[in-house]
């Protein structure tokens, strides 16, 4: 696994880098490790505490966890625990689905995120832009992807009716779907 460790408001020392890489090596058991698997860790330091964002990019799917904690190293542990929880949940979902015989890697072939723009400094402005290639998928696949990214929503192209759809987590529990009325041409 290739590591990219970025510090915001903190200098990433060799000690911090080594500790983070050692802790992240626990995740190796979940992946076929080769040069296609990249792990990006963004560490932000605040006056009180730190924020750790861990994103693992694989050819099949991206996994992401974000944790804020007073202790940097404890935050890394919590982020890894969160990622492992996502992996277990995903594996359980895969076992229940029709694609369980294909295995985790082949059954979740999503390569949607193309690029991520730099954050801008001012408030009340667009501070982040992402570009997606909308791949046709089922609702179940969209929910799986949303949970793997640990996002409250996911935009996708509905395989059944070729409509742009947004799947989201409802505060009351369960999921909701917002769908465009006009199909793609």
């Amino acid at each position: 696994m290739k590591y990219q460790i970025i510090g915001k408001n903190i200098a990433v020392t060799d000690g911090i880098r080594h500790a983070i890489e050692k802790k992240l090596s626990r995740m190796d058991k979940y992946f076929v490790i080769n040069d296609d698997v990249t792990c990006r860790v963004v560490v932000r330091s605040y006056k009180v505490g730190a924020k750790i964002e861990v994103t693992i990019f694989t050819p099949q799917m991206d996994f992401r966890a974000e944790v804020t904690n007073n202790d940097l190293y404890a935050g890394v542990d919590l982020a890894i625990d969160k990622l492992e929880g996502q992996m277990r949940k995903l594996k359980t979902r895969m076992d229940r689905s029709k694609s369980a015989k294909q295995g985790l890697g082949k059954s979740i072939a999503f390569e949607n995120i193309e690029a991520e723009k730099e954050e801008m400094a001012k408030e009340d402005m667009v501070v982040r832009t992402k570009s997606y290639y909308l791949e046709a998928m089922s609702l179940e696949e969209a929910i799986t992807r949303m949970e793997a990214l640990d996002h409250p929503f996911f935009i996708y192209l509905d395989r059944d009716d070729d409509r742009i759809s947004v799947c989201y987590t409802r505060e009351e529990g369960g999921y909701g779907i917002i769908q465009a009325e006009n199909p793609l041409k």
Side-chain angles (χ1 to χ4, degrees), residues 25-129:
S25 67
R26 286 182 11 202
M27 301 299 294
D28 288 348
K29 63 185 174 188
Y30 294 105
F31 304 105
V32 175
I33 301 301
N34 57 28
D35 289 338
D36 293 338
V37 179
T38 304
C39 179
R40 181 176 65 208
V41 180
V42 178
V43 181
R44 287 185 169 89
S45 177
Y46 300 108
K47 287 183 181 180
V48 178
K51 180 177 177 182
I52 298 92
E53 299 173 26
V54 180
T55 309
I56 299 174
F57 302 97
T58 69
Q60 295 81 26
M61 179 177 279
D62 299 336
F63 297 92
R64 183 177 179 280
E66 183 176 308
V67 174
T68 303
N69 196 305
N70 289 336
D71 181 12
L72 174 87
Y73 300 104
V76 172
D77 286 334
L78 290 172
I80 292 170
D81 291 344
K82 198 172 185 180
L83 284 168
E84 286 180 329
Q86 290 174 11
M87 302 280 183
R88 282 191 298 276
K89 190 172 184 178
L90 181 62
K91 184 172 180 350
T92 302
R93 182 179 295 270
M94 300 303 292
D95 288 344
R96 290 185 197 155
S97 74
K98 299 174 191 173
S99 59
K101 295 178 185 173
Q102 295 179 7
L104 180 65
K106 290 183 181 176
S107 60
I108 53 175
F110 303 112
E111 295 181 77
N112 289 339
I113 298 178
E114 289 181 2
E116 190 174 321
K117 303 271 181 163
E118 287 292 321
E119 294 182 21
M120 296 169 66
K122 294 187 176 187
E123 294 182 21
D124 298 334
M125 293 184 69
V126 175
V127 294
R128 191 176 200 180
T129 302

Side-chain angles (χ1 to χ4, degrees), residues 149-163:
L149 289 172
D150 194 30
H151 284 209
F153 67 92
F154 185 74
I155 301 170
Y156 68 102
L157 182 62
D158 192 292
R159 180 181 293 149
D160 297 330
D161 57 13
D162 287 334
R163 294 179 191 264

